Amino acid sequence: MARRGTSRGVTSRHRSLWWQSGVLYEVYPRSFGDASGDGVGDLAGITERLDYLEWLGVNAIWIAPFYPSPMADFGYDVADHTNVDPLFGSLDDFDVLLAEAHRRAIRVVVDYVPNHTSDRHPWFTDSRSSRDSPKRDWYVWRDAAPGSGPPNNWISMFGGSAWEWDEATSQYYLHSFLKQQPDINWREPAARQAMLGVLRFWLERGVDGFRIDVAQFVAKDPQLRDNPPNPHPERLAHLGEWRHQLHLYDHGHPDMHDIYREIRRLVDGYPGKRVTIGELHHPEFDVWARSYGQDLDEIHLPFNFHLLRADWNAASVRAVVDGISAALPAGAWANWVLGNHDQPRIASRVGQGQARVAMMLLLTLRGAPTLYYGDEIGMENATIPVDRLRDPWGITEPAQSRDPERTPMQWNGSANAGFCPPGVEPWLPLASDWQTRNVAAQRDDPSSLLGLTRRLLELRRTIPALIEGTYAPVDSAEGVFAYTRRLPDEPTLLVALNFTDEPRPLTLATDGRVVFSTDPHREQGLVRSPLRLAPSEGLLLELVDTA
Ligand code: GLC
């Protein structure tokens, strides 16, 4: 095997930055650990679980919003950007979490919500108090259209018009999401400075970076033109009412790039190689890639969500990986996502067998992976009874509910899965399989999905080609996606993933040595071509030059 590094961190010849080589783990704070015992997770609950994350071997956590909020959109409606909601604890709890994470060499990335605030944010209260408020233009206010009605046809992502009438000042304000989430006007210099100040606050507190919420919404058409209808709404079936328009004007204006550059300059001005990660949903690879910036001076890692939409078969997944690799600007670092708090769970989407293949894909592609909490044990979408629905989007459009993927982390087989004390009702019900599918049940079983994930994370730390090696697809039998990862002076790696539930042949140009397989029955040692991949097997080989 290639040179080994230290148990965590980097090998001696490793040149990548932490956010390139590392694995980011998303913690949805309401559902990770409940230290206070009120049924809702909190910051101290995350701190209590840092030993687990260290054992697992992730390098960074991204914590979804924990700021004071009326929770209309579960924290994405921020009422104070520089504090902690009492539900989650206090700034002191945050400092403890940060210090404890850093002590374990785990970086901490926080959520930054630039597009909107809560309607209870003092900025908005001030803005809506009068047309003469000095903060009036911090938000987007407009008169009614001639006659009456909203200024244009824009619709909210969560359904209905994106404009809300304010009786007191007789104008509409824009909200791309809930009406409790008015959009900030980034074209207003003071509002812009205030939002940049939020970044400084957290950077000075020591965070390692930001995940930038709905980053492409920060700039809209200054003329607020109507969106045209979408001739192909069926292609966006996952988006509810929003799919009926072509969203040419309500987001994605090129001026967003200036904002990204400004954010980037600010973040890069702090020591420690901090990172910006943008939530960007551009279906075209080349448009998505522009957010790295022409001179790689915008977002370090624009989230790459394209695997979430790919049909789960070898050809479609390969097409995405090849397409992204081709679209990536020179010098830019790729990243891969298979789950987050807005997306159905991967194990429900592809099944438990393929969830193992998916994890292997995520952790062996060239680029930074993001792992959603619970995906390492194969958590599935929970069934939420109607009277326990919490997600506002799910309440207006049931098919869009994100509650199923936000249920409490399944730690063990005791009451409430160890998430909150017995007798307390967790804020969302547990998934029905919690007694058997949990961390405790899988922890000591190397053949479990948790064991597999941990082993792959370990291999990423010890085999430099898994981080820095080039990616090249290898033509293979139907249903198999194979690729090499190659680094000079290191053994070439071959990853072969069987996307079917049948055995598949694999032909190799040379012999190989088994480094890892998702199939516990795979014998270790040398393998000769042709070999047979077991159903849903993911195999990692070191190619052995026999010439
Ligand atoms: C992002 C968040 C999502 C939230 C929305 C509005 O998409 O990930 O959870 O509802 O922004 O802030």
Side-chain angles (χ1 to χ4, degrees):
M1 180 146 331
R3 254 158 278 208
R4 288 180 186 277
T6 54
S7 64
R8 329 192 28 86
V10 293
T11 58
S12 54
R13 64 191 295 270
H14 194 60
R15 293 175 304 274
S16 306
L17 299 172
W18 68 269
W19 50 264
Q20 296 174 319
S21 58
V23 175
L24 180 68
Y25 182 100
E26 182 189 354
V27 172
Y28 192 66
R30 298 183 73 89
S31 289
F32 202 60
D34 173 19
S36 69
D38 61 359
V40 180
D42 42 47
L43 296 181
I46 303 173
T47 306
E48 283 177 358
R49 299 295 182 178
L50 287 172
D51 285 344
Y52 164 74
L53 295 173
E54 184 181 27
W55 170 86
L56 182 59
V58 299
N59 310 77
I61 53 174
W62 146 37
I63 314 173
F66 47 79
Y67 315 114
S69 164
M71 303 288 164
D73 188 20
F74 294 106
Y76 283 98
D77 47 326
V78 179
D80 176 357
H81 295 94
T82 54
N83 213 331
V84 172
D85 194 288
L87 192 63
F88 296 120
S90 63
L91 275 174
D92 286 345
D93 292 324
F94 180 79
D95 291 340
V96 171
L97 167 55
L98 189 65
E100 286 296 313
H102 284 171
R103 200 163 67 75
R104 293 167 175 81
I106 296 174
R107 313 267 181 157
V108 177
V109 171
V110 297
D111 224 300
Y112 177 60
V113 188
N115 179 64
H116 43 263
T117 65
S118 162
D119 60 346
R120 311 261 186 90
H121 195 297
W123 298 346
F124 188 69
T125 317
D126 192 332
S127 179
R128 84 184 306 174
S129 65
S130 127
R131 287 198 186 199
D132 301 326
S133 154
K135 293 204 172 57
R136 185 66 170 179
D137 292 338
W138 285 37
Y139 294 83
V140 184
W141 290 96
R142 286 292 182 282
D143 291 338
S148 74
N152 67 18
N153 73 349
W154 295 357
I155 49 181
S156 142
M157 176 75 99
F158 293 151
S161 170
W163 296 94
E164 180 70 10
W165 178 247
D166 179 59
E167 202 58 60
T169 59
S170 297
Q171 277 192 318
Y172 282 92
Y173 67 84
L174 178 67
H175 60 91
S176 300
F177 295 85
L178 296 174
K179 67 177 186 213
Q180 296 94 330
Q181 293 170 297
D183 283 29
I184 294 180
N185 177 14
W186 274 78
R187 298 183 188 280
E188 211 289 321
R192 191 166 174 136
Q193 282 315 313
M195 280 310 296
L196 294 174
V198 172
L199 295 170
R200 288 193 192 93
F201 175 88
W202 291 104
L203 288 164
E204 274 152 31
R205 232 173 169 92
V207 305
D208 300 288
F210 301 95
R211 175 266 189 189
I212 307 173
D213 189 61
V214 290
Q216 80 243 44
F217 277 81
V218 292
K220 290 116 185 161
D221 177 35
Q223 298 171 47
L224 306 184
R225 279 171 280 189
D226 275 356
N227 284 323
N230 180 4
H232 294 293
E234 69 285 355
R235 293 192 193 149
L236 292 174
H238 59 286
L239 279 180
E241 187 187 337
W242 216 67
R243 70 184 185 276
H244 294 293
Q245 293 184 351
L246 285 180
H247 294 275
L248 301 188
Y249 299 118
D250 54 359
H251 73 316
H253 188 277
D255 289 349
M256 68 188 183
H257 295 290
D258 288 337
I259 298 173
Y260 300 164
R261 275 190 289 273
E262 200 164 354
I263 290 176
R264 173 67 177 264
R265 272 197 304 275
L266 190 155
V267 171
D268 280 355
Y270 284 77
K273 304 288 177 206
R274 311 197 199 186
V275 71
T276 52
I277 306 172
E279 189 201 7
L280 289 147
H281 292 272
H282 296 294
E284 298 89 23
F285 299 160
D286 55 334
V287 180
W288 160 80
R290 279 180 217 152
S291 296
Y292 282 99
Q294 268 187 344
D295 300 316
L296 298 186
D297 56 354
E298 297 185 23
I299 293 179
H300 295 92
L301 293 177
F303 261 143
N304 161 18
F305 296 125
H306 296 95
L307 284 175
L308 293 168
R309 303 271 159 264
D311 290 336
W312 198 256
N313 62 60
S316 301
V317 169
R318 173 176 169 178
V320 168
V321 177
D322 289 356
I324 288 290
S325 306
L328 207 64
W333 196 253
N335 74 91
W336 306 97
V337 175
L338 281 175
N340 65 36
H341 64 278
D342 296 325
Q343 303 295 333
R345 288 268 181 192
I346 181 75
S348 296
R349 185 178 146 212
V350 305
Q352 289 293 342
Q354 282 293 311
R356 299 164 70 84
V357 171
M359 187 61 80
M360 182 137 174
L361 172 78
L362 182 70
L363 298 180
T364 58
L365 285 173
R366 179 181 163 86
T370 298
L371 191 55
Y372 185 47
Y373 86 92
D375 280 354
E376 74 275 25
I377 54 169
M379 274 176 64
E380 298 185 356
N381 295 333
T383 308
I384 313 290
V386 179
D387 62 335
R388 294 209 53 194
L389 284 178
R390 303 296 298 268
D391 180 18
W393 198 0
I395 291 167
T396 53
E397 298 189 72
Q400 306 302 328
S401 178
R402 298 165 295 177
D403 291 331
E405 62 262 23
R406 296 177 175 179
T407 57
M409 178 68 175
Q410 295 162 203
W411 293 106
N412 57 47
S414 72
N416 286 330
F419 162 73
C420 63
V424 171
E425 180 161 271
W427 78 285
L428 274 178
L430 293 158
S432 58
D433 59 1
W434 63 272
Q435 273 159 312
T436 48
R437 192 180 313 287
N438 57 56
V439 170
Q442 297 187 21
R443 197 177 163 119
D444 298 324
D445 176 3
S447 70
S448 66
L449 180 53
L450 181 59
L452 175 160
T453 305
R454 182 166 182 254
R455 178 73 183 131
L456 284 169
L457 289 174
E458 191 181 14
L459 291 172
R460 286 177 61 90
R461 289 195 298 277
T462 52
I463 307 179
L466 274 179
I467 307 297
E468 295 187 59
T470 53
Y471 156 86
V474 177
D475 290 335
S476 313
E478 204 202 329
V480 175
F481 175 29
Y483 45 93
T484 53
R485 301 293 314 277
R486 209 184 286 267
L487 196 61
D489 306 325
E490 295 286 339
T492 297
L493 302 174
L494 180 99
V495 179
L497 305 171
N498 182 354
F499 278 71
T500 77
D501 55 8
E502 289 159 14
R504 280 285 185 269
L506 181 70
T507 313
L508 304 175
T510 67
D511 291 346
R513 195 185 318 281
V514 175
V515 178
F516 178 75
S517 168
T518 61
D519 180 2
H521 306 295
R522 165 71 60 190
E523 277 179 35
Q524 299 299 303
L526 216 59
V527 285
R528 290 234 138 82
S529 185
L531 56 142
R532 212 177 76 125
L533 291 175
S536 297
E537 181 178 4
L539 182 61
L540 173 62
L541 299 176
E542 208 177 80
L543 296 181
V544 182
D545 200 350
T546 41

